[in-house]
């Protein structure tokens, strides 16, 4: 082959991707060759790590021409037919001989024709599995390989064959990511059993995900028809006689293909999994209480791996009994990282090949008395005894004591088990000797007695010489007289002992030896010893080391600051500034502190304050501290890799270590103070004492919040950096552009991202939108099905999500989810079309009714529940036990809120999970229980709809999609037995799988309608959150009963306050008449109050009676104090208003009387001045300006006689502000009340809208007549009558000429309420609150215009200055006329 052929080979190989190149090399070792050729050695292929080296290797090994033939066939095998055809066409052009290639091809053809049935069966299996492979890749069946290098590949052949049988070629080595693991595929949808060997890994992982420990029994056996397919016809012919059926002749027996051992499946996946997936798998196996890989031989390079990082997230809890004198104390170890906990290690080792006793069974007896198989053994009911990948491997499992008397051991102990004959694994044995506190040898006495022919005594000397404790178990000996042969050396004969006796004997011996053994050893200590023996430590990889250094540098910065001051000092943007911004933003919509400003003015002021806060944040961003600079650089330095995930996990671990002790002490202090406060309240101690304890409790709660720290808080700071820059800086800022991309990359890689800030209970909308924009850029604007989760604190919802989808929302150990987090799961490409969406977005929310210091105000919990329920396509409501009572109140308020947010067109689904509640076998009983739940849901919905006046809502499913048959799930208890050694309950796992399938089925049905794209979902979040912060009423209540009770009370209270206002209006009118008639010259406050006191006391008594006798008095009790205070305040305001108005009238009358006296004097002085001017300036006539200047001077000099210097003037009333405040208070229960009042002037004139203004009962709605059939004339007459009465009220107030009072608006509202109630009394319909509001908006606005005129007229009449000003012009005209007369006379 000339140089052009080599160039062609290079060009072809360069066209292969990295993954395709891996497949090419793999098939290169397995492809059939001509007889005179052999395969390239594995080591040689590994060294050919570039395209040029590989091409050179092919040419050198196969020759120039045959290398092209081999390349052609390998390309065909990896489905690169286009490239293969290029080779054929080029070889044909060059006229190259393909003799050898043709012979070889013909041979393959003959072989294929010789086995048509087998090939057909293999193709079937291949077609079945193709859809399950990642990224739609395809693998072609490969025949058994012919191996030339026997010494190297003999041990590898079985491993390669296993990987191929399990369809894991594309993942080896370490290419399976968590995204591959957690992929939503058909198996997760259907939960099917394997139908072929290639499905085994996926079924294994699915079972592991849902914590089903029956995965240890997962095998695939071909059916009898498959096994005998090749000889079926021949057998039928030969076994036609009766006697032949019962006689098996030679040739009739067939070898059954060996099924794959479950542990081979586990370890094959382990070898294919990347570091994160390994860690996840081992954590799941640990939860299932299975032994974990401790030392793992690599069957390709014969090295031993110590998976320290993979074991690094294993957490255990246990209780140890400490004896102090005669007293015993239970020491708790909760959720401890076992890798850093020193524990005694007990190693079980077998020496020899002829030992029949199972170490694994003995270990299972010690760990859980044989109730659970922690270690796999050969007596399982399923499986194959020939395990390929376990030889030489060491497994580890921890015994965690529960502090109970029946526990075998008093302390946490690690048990290890070396698989296989220890004589073959010298390094593993020496390592175990060094790390173990006690070694247990299992050997046969007969084998040992036979001498060195069967057993090497050198390894026994290794165990004998050290001073470490040793237990030897002899399986063929019943009793040994000298069991304690030497110090710390014990011999036990186990022949004839039953399981209980054997376990008890070993337990007693171990307990004694452990007391005398050396100090415990942690996994981190073990790793140092493993390095000494040349074992591979996963944490020693370069990217681990780099990530660790970055995390260490950040934690070093944190250590320099006191823990409780870290957030304030190093994370300032999410501190008080962010909290203040959130409060201002909510106030912008809710206007709770509007005061005497118009809505527009108040909103403008808030916007300025919010902008000022952003500028303060911006100045801190400009001078970014070292912590956040380092954090940003750490995330930016690893683009498009997963190294940032190593960094974040390492950082989380270090921060946990930093905060753990302080937080434990603070929580203990908090528990003590909580108990103390409760005790003081029970003792009915003095209020001052209780307040002091409560103040201490509040201080500790704040310190706990300040001291709680994790990576999520640093990511939250990034969000605030972005929002500050977005509002204040140029959008070309480098940090502004890069920060959302960091979060988007994390989210795409499966990292949870905060949606709602847990400390402020607020959604940073601009940050969230920016992250979704970047996600959309990265993935495309894909469709997402949104699953949200709602449940009580510690009800198991996070555990459920972890079991169902493998999600871990709590970034830091031992910390509860705060706020809401979202995590993205990918749907398998082959499953997208069937499901109808591309990604599943799961939103986990903070647990409701959390204990102090994590609990939140009722309003914030209601907001959170509504946000979560309305946000998702489906909400999973997690309940502990069969009773809905603990969550139904929050759910009812969420229903209220959804009904009030009709403009969003929200139609979520809901699915209930009852934890710790077994499904009833009796179908009738089960349906009865489901119907009871539905009745409760329908009841709370009807009550909410009745209050919200939604007569078209009749049941729960009218608001939230719900199916009684499929949307209620009952879950068994999580544990099968008592923790900490109990495995997960298989029934729980089956429940999880069933629930998962149900969710995906709902999603599949939902895909026809409301599943949104990423960009649309971003808008949904923004619209929903704005609607929630606009809601100023419903969230403050516990349930509908409380809402209705409070509404009834406020209606009654408004009637009482109107009585008081009306009384004061009458009193004011009476006093004004008396003042104008000269009967009253002075208003004494005590006199006014004395006249009012009777009415006030009467109303006060009515209020007290209401709180004593009303059926909802217990519910209303918290509001009693506020209403009593409001009544007192109203009384004072009315008194002040009346006195002020009367004083204005008195002053005006005094000035008017004085003006009558002084007017003559002023006119006389003016006349004198005119005469003086006329006589002194005869030749010059004064113009009007000169006359006015002269008049003004005289007027100013004499006006002080009329006006007292201390005279006070009433401020002009802001009638528009009064109207806004009164409407906001009176219609506060109406949704979107602020915007309706704000834009009241832009609305069309009021007209009756029967569909919105008329309400009927839900019971009559189904068969109700159309709106036109109602008594429309009654409604129109009522409206006309109300308008007429209001106009009459306004006319009366104008005629009284008493000026303006805010009580006039209350009078109009009273008229509307009274008349609407009276008009519809006894009728089958009612007038809605919307009718009252829209009518009130129009009538009150018209009234406001009249009241402004009334106010101006009253002020002109009664304000001394204005009155004199009106007299001034009249006097000037008289002055001017007098001057003309004088001039004419002259």
């Amino acid at each position: 082959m000339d140089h052009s052929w080599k160039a062609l080979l290079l060009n072809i190989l360069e066209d292969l991707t990295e993954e395709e190149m891996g497949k090419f090399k793999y098939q290169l070792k397995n492809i059939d060759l001509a007889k005179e050729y052999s395969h390239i050695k594995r080591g040689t292929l590994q060294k050919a790590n570039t395209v040029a080296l590989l091409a050179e290797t092919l040419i050198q090994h196969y020759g120039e021409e045959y290398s092209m033939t081999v390349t052609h066939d390998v390309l065909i095998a990896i489905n690169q037919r286009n490239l293969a055809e290029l080779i054929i066409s080029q070889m044909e052009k060059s006229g190259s001989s393909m003799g050898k290639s043709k012979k070889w091809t013909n041979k393959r053809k003959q072989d294929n024709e010789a086995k048509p049935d087998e090939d057909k069966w293999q193709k079937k299996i291949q077609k079945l599995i193709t859809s399950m492979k990642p990224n739609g890749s395809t693998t072609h069946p490969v025949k058994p390989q012919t191996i030339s290098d026997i010494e190297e590949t003999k041990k590898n052949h079985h491993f390669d064959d296993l990987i191929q049988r399990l369809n894991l070629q594309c993942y080896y080595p370490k290419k399976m990511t968590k995204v591959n693991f957690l992929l939503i595929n058909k198996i997760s949808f259907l939960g099917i059993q394997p139908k072929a060997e290639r499905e085994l890994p996926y079924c294994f992982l699915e079972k592991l995900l849902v914590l089903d420990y029956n995965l240890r029994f997962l095998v695939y056996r071909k059916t009898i028809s498959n096994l005998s397919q090749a000889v079926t016809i021949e057998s039928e012919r030969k076994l036609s006689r009766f006697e032949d059926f019962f006689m098996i002749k030679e040739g009739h027996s067939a070898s059954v293909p060996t099924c794959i051992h479950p542990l081979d499946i586990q370890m094959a996946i382990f070898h294919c999994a990347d570091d994160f997936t390994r860690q996840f798998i081992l954590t799941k196996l640990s939860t299932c209480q299975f032994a974990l890989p401790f030392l793992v031989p690599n069957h390709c390079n014969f090295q031993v791996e110590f998976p320290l990082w993979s074991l690094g997230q294993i957490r255990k809890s246990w209780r140890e009994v400490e004896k102090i004198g005669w007293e015993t104390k239970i020491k708790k170890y909760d959720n401890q990282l076992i890798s850093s906990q020193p524990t005694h290690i007990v190693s079980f080792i077998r020496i020899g090949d002829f030992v029949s006793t199972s170490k694994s069974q003995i270990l299972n007896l010690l760990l859980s008395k044989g109730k659970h198989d922690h270690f796999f053994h050969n007596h399982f009911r399923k499986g194959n005894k020939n395990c390929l990948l376990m030889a030489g491997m060491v497994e580890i499992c921890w015994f965690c004591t529960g502090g109970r008397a029946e526990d075998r051991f008093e302390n946490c102990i690690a048990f290890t088990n070396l698989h296989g004959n220890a004589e073959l694994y010298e390094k593993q044995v020496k390592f175990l000797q060094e790390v173990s506190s006690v070694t247990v040898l299992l050997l046969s006495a007969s084998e040992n007695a036979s001498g060195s022919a069967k057993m090497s005594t050198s390894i026994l000397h290794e165990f004998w010489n050290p001073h470490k404790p040793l237990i030897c178990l002899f399986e063929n000996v019943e009793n040994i007289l000298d069991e304690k042969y030497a110090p710390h050396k014990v011999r036990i004969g186990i022949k004839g002992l039953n399981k209980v006796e054997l376990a008890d004997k070993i337990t007693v011996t171990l307990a004694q030896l452990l007391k005398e053994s050396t100090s415990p050893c942690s996994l981190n200590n073990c790793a140092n010893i493993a390095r000494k023996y040349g074992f591979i430590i996963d944490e020693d990889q370069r990217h681990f080391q780099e990530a660790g250094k970055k995390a260490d540098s950040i934690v070093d910065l944190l250590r320099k600051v006191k823990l409780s001051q870290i957030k304030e000092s190093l994370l300032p943007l999410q501190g008080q500034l962010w909290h203040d911004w959130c409060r201002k933003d909510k106030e912008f919509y809710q206007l709770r502190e509007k005061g005497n400003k118009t809505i527009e003015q108040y909103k403008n002021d808030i916007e300025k304050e919010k902008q000022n806060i952003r500028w303060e944040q911006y100045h801190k961003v400009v001078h970014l501290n070292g912590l956040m600079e380092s954090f940003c650089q750490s995330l930016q330095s690893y683009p498009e890799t997963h190294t940032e995930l190593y960094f974040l996990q390492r950082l989380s671990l270090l921060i946990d270590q930093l905060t753990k002790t302080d937080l434990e002490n603070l929580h203990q202090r908090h528990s003590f103070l909580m108990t103390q406060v409760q005790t003081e309240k029970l003792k009915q101690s003095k209020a001052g004492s209780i307040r002091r304890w409560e103040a201490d409790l509040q201080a500790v709660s704040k310190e706990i919040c300040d001291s709680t720290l994790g990576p999520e808080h640093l990511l939250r700071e990034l969000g605030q950096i972005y929002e500050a820059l977005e509002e204040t800086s140029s959008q070309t800022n480098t940090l502004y552009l890069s920060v959302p991309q960091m979060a988007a990359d994390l989210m795409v890689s499966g990292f949870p991202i905060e949606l709602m800030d847990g400390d402020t209970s607020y959604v940073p909308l601009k940050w969230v939108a920016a992250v979704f924009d970047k996600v959309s850029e990265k993935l495309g604007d894909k469709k997402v099905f949104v699953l949200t989760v709602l449940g009580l604190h510690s009800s198991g919802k996070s555990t459920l999500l972890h079991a169902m989808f493998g999600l871990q929302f709590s970034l830091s150990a031992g910390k509860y989810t705060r706020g809401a987090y979202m995590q993205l799961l990918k749907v398998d490409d082959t499953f997208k079309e069937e499901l109808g969406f591309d990604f599943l977005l799961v939103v986990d929310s903070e647990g409701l009714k959390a204990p102090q210091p994590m609990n939140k105000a009722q309003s914030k919990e209601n907001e959170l529940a509504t946000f979560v329920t309305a946000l998702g396509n489906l909400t999973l409501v997690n309940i502990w036990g069969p009773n809905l009572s603990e969550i139904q109140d929050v759910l009812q308020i969420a229903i209220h809120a959804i009904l009030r947010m009709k403009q969003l067109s929200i139609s979520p689904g809901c699915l209930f999970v009852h934890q710790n509640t077994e499904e009833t076998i009796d179908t009738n009983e089960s349906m009865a229980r489901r119907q009871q739940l539905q009745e409760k849901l329908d009841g709370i919905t009807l009550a909410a709809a009745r209050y919200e006046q939604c007569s078209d809502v009749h049941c729960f499913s009218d608001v939230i999609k719900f199916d009684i048959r499929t949307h209620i799930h009952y879950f068994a208890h999580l544990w099968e037995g008592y923790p900490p050694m109990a495995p997960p309950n298989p029934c729980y796992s089956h429940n999880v799988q069933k629930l998962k399938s149900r969710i995906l089925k709902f999603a599949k049905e939902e895909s026809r309608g409301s599943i949104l794209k990423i960009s649309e979902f971003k808008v949904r979040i923004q619209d929903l959150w704005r609607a929630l912060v606009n809601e100023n009423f419903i969230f403050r209540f516990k349930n509908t009963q409380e809402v209705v009770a409070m509404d009834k009370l406020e209606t009654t209270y408004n009637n009482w306050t109107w009585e008081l206002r009306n009384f004061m209006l009458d009193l004011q009118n009476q006093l004004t008449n008396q003042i104008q008639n000269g009967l009253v010259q002075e208003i004494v406050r005590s006199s006014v109050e004395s006249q009012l006191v009777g009415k006030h006391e009467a109303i006060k008594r009515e209020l007290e009676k209401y709180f004593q006798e009303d059926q909802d008095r217990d519910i209303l009790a918290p509001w009693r104090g506020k209403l009593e205070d409001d009544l007192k305040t109203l009384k004072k305001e009315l008194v002040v208003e009346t006195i002020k108005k009367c004083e204005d009238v008195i002053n005006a009358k005094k000035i008017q009387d004085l003006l009558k006296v002084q007017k003559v004097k002023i006119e006389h002085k003016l006349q004198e001045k005119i005469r003086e001017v006329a006589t002194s300036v005869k030749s010059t006539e004064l113009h009007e300006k000169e006359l006015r200047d002269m008049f003004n001077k005289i007027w100013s000099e004499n006006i002080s006689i009329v006006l007292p210097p201390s005279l006070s003037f009433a401020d002009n009333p802001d009638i528009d502000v009064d109207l806004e405040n009164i409407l906001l208070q009176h219609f506060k229960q109406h949704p979107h009340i602020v915007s309706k009042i704000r834009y009241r002037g832009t609305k069309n004139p009021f007209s009756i809208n029967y569909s919105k203004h008329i309400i009927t009962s839900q019971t009559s709605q189904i068969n109700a007549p159309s709106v036109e059939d109602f008594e429309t004339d009654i409604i129109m007459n009522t409206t006309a009558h109300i308008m007429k009465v209001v106009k009459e009220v306004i006319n009366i107030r104008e005629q009284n000429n008493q000026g303006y009072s805010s009580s006039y608006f209350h009078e109009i509202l009273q008229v509307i309420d009274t008349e609407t109630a009276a008009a519809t009394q006894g009728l089958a319909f009612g007038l809605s609150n919307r009718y009252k509001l829209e009518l009130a908006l129009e009538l009150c606005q018209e009234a406001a215009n009249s009241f402004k005129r009334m106010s101006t007229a009253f002020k002109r009449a009664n304000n001394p200055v204005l009155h004199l000003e009106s007299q001034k012009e009249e006097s000037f005209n008289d002055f001017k006329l007098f001057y003309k007369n004088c001039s004419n006379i002259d």
Side-chain angles (χ1 to χ4, degrees), residues 804-1011:
M804 189 158 46
F805 297 112
L807 307 180
Q808 188 71 45
F809 285 99
S810 297
L811 304 184
S812 304
K815 296 177 185 176
Y816 299 102
T817 305
R818 299 289 310 273
Y821 283 83
M822 54 187 176
Q823 196 163 341
L824 205 59
L825 289 170
K826 186 180 179 182
V827 177
D828 190 5
D829 291 337
T830 61
F831 199 35
K832 288 179 182 178
E833 186 175 352
E834 183 176 343
L835 277 186
F837 57 91
D838 305 281
F839 289 91
L840 175 69
L841 184 73
V842 183
V843 179
D844 187 22
S845 62
E846 178 176 350
L848 305 175
K849 302 185 185 300
Q852 287 276 6
M854 296 167 291
N855 69 334
K856 297 191 172 184
Q858 183 173 275
S859 60
K860 291 190 175 181
E861 284 204 340
N862 289 335
E863 286 178 8
L864 174 65
T866 304
F867 179 69
V868 168
T869 304
L871 185 64
N873 298 100
L874 179 66
T875 299
L876 196 157
V877 181
N878 195 61
I879 305 167
W880 186 258
N883 201 339
L884 188 68
S885 59
E886 290 184 324
I887 204 170
Q888 72 178 25
D889 288 343
V890 174
L891 199 58
Q892 189 172 43
I893 295 300
I895 293 170
H896 271 279
I898 292 172
L899 291 174
R900 296 163 74 87
M901 296 187 294
K902 294 178 181 178
Q903 78 281 4
L904 296 182
S905 301
I906 296 172
S907 181
C910 197
L911 192 151
F912 292 89
V913 175
H914 293 269
Q915 297 275 4
N916 201 31
T917 307
E918 293 281 0
E919 175 70 279
T920 305
I921 299 177
D922 187 337
T923 306
N924 294 331
E925 184 179 346
S926 175
M927 183 53 67
R929 187 159 65 176
R930 291 168 181 267
Q931 287 174 345
Q932 287 177 359
L933 176 64
Q934 184 169 33
E935 288 172 3
K936 284 186 178 180
L937 293 172
D938 291 345
I940 63 175
T941 305
L942 280 170
R946 194 177 299 116
Y947 180 82
E948 299 298 339
Q949 298 182 342
C950 298
S951 53
D952 57 335
V953 174
H954 308 99
C955 59
F956 180 69
S957 57
D958 287 340
V959 182
I960 297 175
K961 297 172 186 175
F962 175 72
D963 187 338
I964 187 176
R965 296 164 300 175
T966 58
H967 287 192
I968 302 174
H969 289 252
Y970 297 99
F971 269 48
H973 192 274
L974 174 60
W975 303 113
E976 188 179 53
Y978 297 101
M981 292 303 295
N985 189 344
C987 293
Y988 180 89
S989 303
H990 298 159
N991 295 147
V992 171
Q993 184 61 61
K994 184 178 178 182
L995 175 63
K996 187 175 183 179
S997 299
R998 180 64 250 172
I999 290 171
L1000 293 176
K1001 188 174 182 181
F1002 178 92
K1004 182 180 177 181
E1005 295 167 354
E1006 190 80 354
S1007 64
R1008 303 188 185 98
S1010 59
I1011 294 183

Side-chain angles (χ1 to χ4, degrees), residues 83-95:
L83 293 177
E85 288 173 3
L86 284 177
I87 294 177
I88 294 294
S89 61
Q90 192 65 28
M91 293 180 75
E92 287 175 351
K93 288 179 183 178
S94 64

Side-chain angles (χ1 to χ4, degrees), residues 1194-1238:
I1194 298 171
W1195 182 270
S1196 299
E1197 290 173 350
N1198 292 273
I1199 198 65
S1200 59
I1201 301 173
V1202 179
L1203 291 177
S1206 60
L1207 184 66
S1208 60
F1209 304 100
D1211 295 332
N1212 292 331
D1214 195 327
I1215 296 175
D1216 288 330
V1217 170
D1218 284 348
L1219 174 58
E1220 288 176 352
N1221 291 340
I1222 291 168
L1223 290 174
L1224 283 171
Q1225 175 62 28
H1226 192 79
F1227 292 103
K1228 61 186 175 184
Q1229 80 280 7
H1230 199 286
H1232 317 296
I1233 182 61
V1234 172
S1235 61
K1236 289 184 179 295
I1237 294 174
R1238 183 183 184 186

Side-chain angles (χ1 to χ4, degrees), residues 156 267 651 715 1055 1175 1274 1367:
N156 297 333
M267 294 314 299
L651 180 62
L715 289 170
N1055 292 333
T1175 55
I1274 295 178
Q1367 294 295 316

Side-chain angles (χ1 to χ4, degrees), residues 324-353:
I324 305 173
W326 294 98
E327 295 182 0
T328 58
K329 182 181 179 182
I330 301 294
K331 188 175 182 180
K332 298 180 179 180
Y333 295 85
D334 291 327
N335 209 33
Q336 300 293 314
L337 277 174
I338 202 67
S339 60
S340 58
Q341 285 294 320
T343 59
H344 286 295
I345 298 177
V346 178
S347 295
F348 277 67
I349 297 173
R350 169 171 62 86
I351 297 178
D353 292 319

Side-chain angles (χ1 to χ4, degrees), residues 1092-1241:
L1092 181 62
V1093 69
K1095 188 65 176 176
H1096 176 263
E1097 288 299 323
I1099 294 174
K1100 189 176 177 181
R1101 285 193 296 271
E1102 289 292 327
L1103 184 62
E1104 291 175 354
K1105 181 181 178 182
Y1106 192 96
F1107 278 106
Q1108 290 173 357
E1109 298 180 0
D1110 190 82
Q1111 61 180 3
D1112 296 319
R1113 55 187 176 275
D1114 294 334
I1115 296 174
L1116 298 172
W1119 280 278
R1120 178 171 182 171
K1122 181 181 182 300
L1123 289 180
E1124 289 176 345
D1125 292 341
D1126 289 346
L1127 193 61
K1128 289 179 184 177
T1129 302
L1130 177 61
K1131 174 192 170 185
K1132 292 178 182 178
E1133 289 176 352
L1134 291 175
V1135 169
V1136 169
E1137 181 183 354
T1138 300
I1139 291 174
K1140 185 63 179 172
K1141 187 162 286 189
C1142 289
E1143 286 177 348
D1144 288 345
V1145 175
I1146 290 173
N1147 290 332
K1149 189 172 188 311
K1150 286 181 179 179
I1151 290 173
Q1152 289 172 6
D1153 293 343
L1154 183 61
L1155 186 60
K1156 290 178 183 178
V1157 176
Q1158 294 294 328
K1159 190 174 182 181
V1160 176
K1161 295 181 180 179
I1162 294 174
E1163 289 177 352
H1164 179 69
K1165 287 185 178 182
L1166 289 171
Q1167 291 174 3
E1168 287 182 353
K1169 187 66 177 176
I1170 290 297
R1171 291 192 187 94
E1172 181 182 342
V1173 170
T1175 55
S1176 63
V1177 191
K1178 291 184 180 180
S1179 59
T1180 306
E1181 182 178 354
L1182 295 176
H1183 297 290
E1184 183 170 341
K1185 182 179 182 305
E1186 295 170 316
L1187 285 174
R1188 185 172 288 279
D1189 291 340
M1190 185 186 302
F1191 172 82
N1192 287 339
K1193 183 179 179 182
I1194 298 171
W1195 182 270
S1196 299
E1197 290 173 350
N1198 292 273
I1199 198 65
S1200 59
I1201 301 173
V1202 179
L1203 291 177
S1206 60
L1207 184 66
S1208 60
F1209 304 100
D1211 295 332
N1212 292 331
D1214 195 327
I1215 296 175
D1216 288 330
V1217 170
D1218 284 348
L1219 174 58
E1220 288 176 352
N1221 291 340
I1222 291 168
L1223 290 174
L1224 283 171
Q1225 175 62 28
H1226 192 79
F1227 292 103
K1228 61 186 175 184
Q1229 80 280 7
H1230 199 286
H1232 317 296
I1233 182 61
V1234 172
S1235 61
K1236 289 184 179 295
I1237 294 174
R1238 183 183 184 186
Y1239 301 110
R1240 63 189 183 278

